Amino acid sequence: MIQVTHLGFPRIGARRELKQALESFWKGQTTSTDLHATARELRARHWQLARNAGVDVVPCNDFSLYDHVLDTAVLFDAIPPSHRDVFEPDPLAGYFALARGLQDDQHDLHALEMTKWFDSNYHYLVPKFQVDQTFRLRGDKPLAELREARALGLEARPVLLGPVSFLKLGKREDGGCPLELLDALLPAYVHLLEQWKAEGASWVQIDEPCLVLDLGDADRDAYRRAFAALAAADIPQILLATYFGDLGDNLELVAALPVDALHIDLARAPQQLSRVLEAWPAEQSLSLGVVDGRNVWRTDLDAALALVHTAGSRVRWLAPSCSLLHVPIDLELERKLPQPLRGGMAFARQKLEELRLLADAHAGDAAAAAAVASAQAARTAHRNAPELGNATVRARLAGLLPAMSQRTTPYPQRARLQHERLALPPLPTTTIGSFPQLSLVRKARADHKAGKLDDAGYRMFLEREIDNCLREQEAIGLDVLVHGEFERNDMVEYFGEQLDGFAFTSHGWVQSYGSRCVKPPVLYGDVSRPRAMTVEWTRYAQSRTQYPVKGMLTGPVTILQWSFVRDDQPRADTCRQIALALRDEVLELEAAGIAIIQIDEPALREGLPLRREDWPRYLAWAVEAFGLAAGAVADTTQIHTHMCYAEFNDIIDAVAALDADVISIETSRSRMELLDAFARFRYPNGIGPGVYDIHAPRVPSPTEIGELLGKALQVIPAAQLWVNPDCGLKTRGWPEVRKALSAMVQATRELRLGL
Ligand code: GLN
Ligand code: ZN
């Protein structure tokens, strides 16, 4: 009998219970006992939900209070010396100090660097290893969670990030290769696996997502050594989980690893099944990831059944392609989604039910076969719905010319014209766009949405907020101002709500990092712009100050990347449709007298395919889409872009090809390391390296910012340099923002004197 399982579940809760529990704990309103109680309740609820959906084996230890990579680092004691003295008396305080930094009377600790989890919009904390890093087991989370699941009468399979992926996702303090630490790490892994076995676990799931990446000899060698060491110990059977892509040229390596079962992603890479069946030893079993764990659409159950039939008796488990972390929990909570769209969708719970259906239908159950047929009918009804198409948009797309996605005048000439128009001081200071959003702002937005606050009242409220924000920025002494983005709940949702082709969920939250969640729009149809989206607010702001106000848009790739996107046409085409809508918005802003327009593309890099051979194609259409949005403006209009948490070394050509007049990037957590890529490339356009980390409440000093800017000036000519924080400020509070931005302005002014 094929069993149904899954690889991991969203931790945040259908109503973001974990978020609330974390944030009230951080504010000191609740105790760690309260926090742990909520966590335990969520685990129990999610296990129960899976069991009710027909799951035979649930994972455990997939839960995390903040991030599973941080959990792994802490579990194996990879704690930087700087944070140790917080850990020793209070491990939970230490854990959160690593996650968020810690600033009090006795401490001034940075958070760990944060970066995207493969090509998803989930962020993990980058483990930081010492040169002489040692590892040992710390705490009993992995065992406690196993006991917890078993106490509920569940068959549970512990999950652990594999040793090679864990090391590869981290960084060594001295810049050396983390894989050199493998031999030091393996005994701790063995120790944990032995403990799990002693506790009665018959299987463990070891996640090695790095197996779908391009690997070098050192990586392959590490895999062989790691799994040989595990196999030699008395541990549970290993389910080696791979996901997010095709094993490709790593298949041979994987097939030779001494593990007992292999999970493969057949949603992203159904084509790999036949190759895997050939290469994978017949006596070892398979877990087929036939339901997409990264999207919200119903599975094509007929196609999935065909895969299951092909694999036949080799299949031990059916599962989602990857952890369900990346999808919302329950479509049942969605009452407002229109049909037939809703009928074509599935969230975590529905995906588990699909798996149950598939397993039963495969086993010959007639009721399941009938249910498959009706599910397929709902899927078809959605996919054939007339509201997916828009003839005007299609015609416009067919008429695209290459010249439309480029600025015609070269940058140096544009820069001169823009300088004449804007007359900014050297090292111009600005922000990334959003300013603190107090609960009052969120309340006004919600009241307006709910009809409790009329349009005029809402506009008055926003105008007041904008005025306030402008006065604050003027007082701080910034050179290029923004309106503050108070009308936006989220940089993608806001645009999605105004564009045709998008739908919105009420509870479709997915974790972005820690307690932060996003509610990705559902991009289901052709995209068009019925009316201007930002012009009103930007124009108002510009009318209220003598300083230039920067218009603020989210770029086409980011809108695509942070939405749940239709899968019935190439992503490139969907992206071009968004770009054309933005192009019209850009021109309308320009016509309204806005001289600087920022098109944020923080997700450009995360959209990169995991395999290098697929990069050029992606980058070509991503750059084209940005160009389509930005390319139509006059030379005197300055286009900015912003990217956060990106590593630029390998995409610097494409970033340069965007030809934005100014780019702002994250650099503060990595202490300006990121700038090297730009310096080496002799990146010609304006660049604003983030001078402080806005993801933590820590306030930087002018000296600290001055030092970072000094570092930047060593590699970037002053004429190109802009000064800004590393991202938007909407999650911060006004007092810290005032202090931090003032420090930034002060540091800049001091530096200007020396230029
Ligand atoms: N303009 C956006 C803001 O300031 C950019 C956010 C982002 O890069 N994620 O909020
Ligand atoms: Zn950002």
Side-chain angles (χ1 to χ4, degrees):
M1 269 301 265
I2 297 181
Q3 289 192 317
V4 172
T5 188
H6 69 84
L7 306 188
F9 205 78
R11 315 116 177 182
I12 207 79
R15 299 184 189 277
R16 291 183 293 163
E17 292 86 341
L18 182 60
K19 175 191 178 70
Q20 270 101 49
L22 283 168
E23 290 175 359
S24 52
F25 173 70
W26 292 334
K27 283 188 206 135
Q29 294 161 347
T30 51
T31 65
S32 61
T33 315
D34 300 325
L35 176 60
H36 287 304
T38 304
R40 200 172 326 107
E41 206 178 292
L42 284 169
R43 288 192 291 270
R45 188 194 302 166
H46 295 158
W47 282 324
Q48 209 61 53
L49 179 154
R51 172 152 68 186
N52 293 343
V55 170
D56 300 302
V57 186
V58 292
C60 62
N61 198 42
D62 58 323
F63 184 83
S64 174
L65 282 175
Y66 201 96
D67 165 46
H68 56 276
V69 182
L70 176 61
D71 290 358
T72 315
V74 169
L75 173 65
F76 293 116
D77 202 35
I79 296 162
S82 48
H83 289 64
R84 276 213 183 258
D85 73 314
V86 195
F87 252 96
E88 291 320 331
D90 186 347
L92 190 62
Y95 178 84
F96 288 132
L98 284 172
R100 320 169 61 226
L102 176 63
Q103 206 170 27
D104 61 19
D105 306 342
Q106 296 136 51
H107 301 96
D108 189 5
L109 297 173
H110 289 269
L112 288 180
E113 194 180 325
M114 194 160 54
T115 196
K116 305 266 174 181
W117 175 246
F118 296 85
D119 59 352
S120 79
N121 186 29
Y122 175 80
H123 304 66
Y124 74 92
L125 289 155
V126 180
K128 194 155 121 195
F129 305 117
Q130 306 305 301
V131 187
D132 53 353
Q133 182 71 49
T134 55
F135 300 95
R136 67 179 176 101
L137 272 188
R138 181 182 184 108
D140 74 336
K141 172 184 185 291
L143 293 179
E145 286 185 21
L146 175 59
R147 287 186 202 124
E148 231 174 83
R150 305 185 112 211
L152 295 169
L154 293 151
E155 187 178 342
R157 182 191 61 238
V159 178
L160 183 61
L161 179 58
V164 179
S165 289
F166 169 55
L167 289 175
K168 277 177 72 68
L169 291 170
K171 278 190 182 166
R172 224 169 73 177
E173 186 100 283
D174 62 340
C177 174
L179 285 179
E180 285 167 18
L181 300 169
L182 185 64
D183 291 331
L185 174 63
L186 286 173
Y189 264 78
V190 168
H191 192 186
L192 173 60
L193 294 170
E194 285 171 347
Q195 290 190 2
W196 264 331
K197 175 141 189 193
E199 195 66 38
S202 49
W203 284 89
V204 291
Q205 169 188 328
I206 298 200
D207 284 3
E208 281 291 356
C210 287
L211 282 169
V212 307
L213 306 180
D214 297 318
L215 296 179
D217 289 341
D219 302 317
R220 276 188 283 271
D221 179 56
Y223 272 112
R224 287 188 204 103
R225 282 191 296 132
F227 282 89
L230 300 188
D234 185 21
I235 61 163
Q237 300 187 80
I238 294 178
L239 165 61
L240 174 62
T242 68
Y243 41 83
F244 297 157
D246 197 322
L247 288 170
D249 58 351
N250 300 325
L251 177 55
E252 207 183 318
L253 163 76
V254 171
L257 294 177
V259 296
D260 306 281
L262 173 68
H263 173 86
I264 50 173
D265 184 335
L266 295 180
R268 280 264 175 100
Q271 72 283 358
Q272 69 173 329
L273 179 60
S274 54
R275 275 180 276 123
V276 170
L277 286 175
E278 227 165 85
W280 189 242
E283 64 284 2
Q284 296 168 18
S285 35
L286 286 170
S287 161
L288 301 190
V290 287
V291 164
D292 192 350
R294 294 282 298 269
N295 218 331
V296 291
W297 309 116
R298 251 183 210 281
T299 306
D300 182 344
L301 295 176
D302 290 337
L305 268 178
L307 293 171
V308 183
H309 287 310
T310 307
S313 62
R314 316 270 302 269
V315 187
R316 184 175 185 120
W317 294 291
L318 293 185
S321 56
C322 58
S323 166
L324 293 165
L325 184 64
H326 311 282
V327 292
I329 292 181
D330 194 357
L331 189 64
E332 273 301 303
L333 297 177
E334 300 304 326
R335 296 285 159 212
K336 291 194 204 123
L337 284 175
Q339 291 292 8
L341 171 63
R342 188 174 185 274
M345 294 172 67
F347 290 176
R349 177 174 158 199
Q350 289 69 36
K351 286 170 188 285
L352 296 177
E353 291 167 353
E354 288 186 328
L355 289 163
R356 184 72 262 161
L357 270 189
L358 285 169
D360 291 347
H362 178 75
D365 182 298
V372 166
S374 70
Q376 287 295 89
R379 181 173 182 274
T380 314
H382 157 58
R383 292 171 84 93
N384 294 342
E387 51 270 43
L388 261 57
N390 175 326
T392 321
V393 173
R394 305 237 144 207
R396 208 171 161 202
L397 208 63
L400 290 185
L401 300 170
M404 289 170 71
S405 46
Q406 267 152 17
R407 302 198 59 183
T408 39
T409 310
Y411 170 75
Q413 220 170 311
R414 297 195 315 257
R416 251 191 325 276
L417 296 167
Q418 291 161 16
H419 185 74
E420 276 162 26
R421 176 176 182 189
L422 294 163
L424 295 169
L427 311 183
T429 53
T430 189
T431 59
I432 307 303
S434 60
F435 270 83
Q437 296 207 346
L438 304 181
S439 49
L440 226 61
V441 174
R442 287 195 295 269
K443 185 176 179 311
R445 237 173 13 223
D447 285 353
H448 180 236
K449 222 175 200 173
K452 282 190 257 170
L453 178 62
D454 65 12
D455 287 354
Y458 183 57
R459 172 186 322 223
M460 249 166 59
F461 174 84
L462 284 177
E463 290 182 352
R464 217 168 38 232
E465 286 299 316
I466 292 172
D467 282 336
N468 250 333
C469 186
L470 292 170
R471 298 299 82 82
E472 290 275 3
Q473 294 173 79
E474 288 171 350
I476 290 165
L478 293 159
D479 302 310
V480 171
L481 313 194
V482 294
H483 75 289
E485 301 184 22
F486 300 104
E487 74 286 7
R488 304 181 194 177
N489 31 1
D490 172 278
M491 65 185 291
V492 169
E493 189 177 44
Y494 178 76
F495 290 91
E497 275 174 344
Q498 315 210 40
L499 292 165
D500 285 346
F502 288 83
F504 290 87
T505 63
S506 323
H507 300 279
W509 297 100
V510 287
Q511 189 176 19
S512 170
Y513 67 91
S515 68
R516 298 265 287 137
C517 298
V518 290
K519 190 146 66 66
V522 180
L523 202 182
Y524 70 96
D526 285 346
V527 177
S528 61
R529 186 191 78 131
R531 69 197 73 82
M533 305 183 280
T534 62
V535 178
E536 182 187 2
W537 311 122
T538 318
R539 181 196 281 131
Y540 175 78
Q542 188 60 86
S543 75
R544 307 285 289 174
T545 180
Q546 67 197 26
Y547 294 94
V549 170
K550 177 161 73 163
M552 205 51 66
L553 303 173
T554 304
V557 181
T558 299
I559 292 182
L560 184 82
Q561 200 58 33
W562 291 354
S563 299
F564 288 119
V565 180
R566 62 194 293 185
D567 57 1
D568 61 344
Q569 68 177 20
R571 285 172 76 82
D573 285 341
T574 308
C575 195
R576 288 186 187 102
Q577 293 185 356
I578 307 169
L580 284 173
L582 289 170
R583 181 182 180 92
D584 298 343
E585 182 76 10
V586 165
L587 288 175
E588 215 169 312
L589 280 171
E590 181 180 56
I594 303 304
I596 306 181
I597 300 168
Q598 178 169 311
I599 305 176
D600 292 328
E601 281 293 23
L604 188 98
R605 190 179 201 287
E606 88 186 32
L608 271 181
L610 294 172
R611 295 284 196 159
R612 268 188 194 257
E613 60 176 5
D614 303 324
W615 285 17
R617 239 171 54 118
Y618 162 75
L619 288 171
W621 63 252
V623 169
E624 180 201 333
F626 184 89
L628 269 181
V633 295
D635 295 342
T636 47
T637 300
Q638 189 170 71
I639 296 288
H640 287 216
T641 189
H642 164 69
M643 299 180 187
C644 35
Y645 292 118
E647 277 160 26
F648 291 94
N649 277 311
D650 37 18
I651 56 161
I652 189 75
D653 303 56
V655 171
L658 297 178
D659 197 19
D661 297 298
V662 180
I663 182 173
S664 60
I665 58 171
E666 186 277 344
T667 41
S668 58
R669 273 203 194 188
S670 54
R671 321 302 295 162
M672 295 281 160
E673 274 166 39
L674 287 178
L675 268 188
D676 293 350
F678 289 85
R680 263 201 304 279
F681 188 82
R682 298 188 186 285
Y683 182 82
N685 301 15
I687 176 164
V691 295
Y692 81 91
D693 176 15
I694 64 87
H695 297 84
R698 202 181 158 273
V699 173
S701 69
T703 322
E704 194 180 332
I705 293 179
E707 274 166 24
L708 280 178
L709 279 172
K711 276 191 168 181
L713 279 169
Q714 283 167 16
V715 289
I716 303 286
Q720 277 171 256
L721 202 60
W722 282 64
V723 180
N724 44 259
D726 70 359
C727 201
L729 299 165
K730 81 172 186 192
T731 58
R732 301 270 62 100
W734 268 111
E736 56 186 274
V737 160
R738 251 176 234 127
K739 276 190 230 154
L741 290 179
S742 303
M744 185 180 95
V745 168
Q746 189 188 327
T748 307
R749 287 185 176 154
E750 280 162 20
L751 265 174
R752 278 180 192 152
L753 298 176
L755 286 182

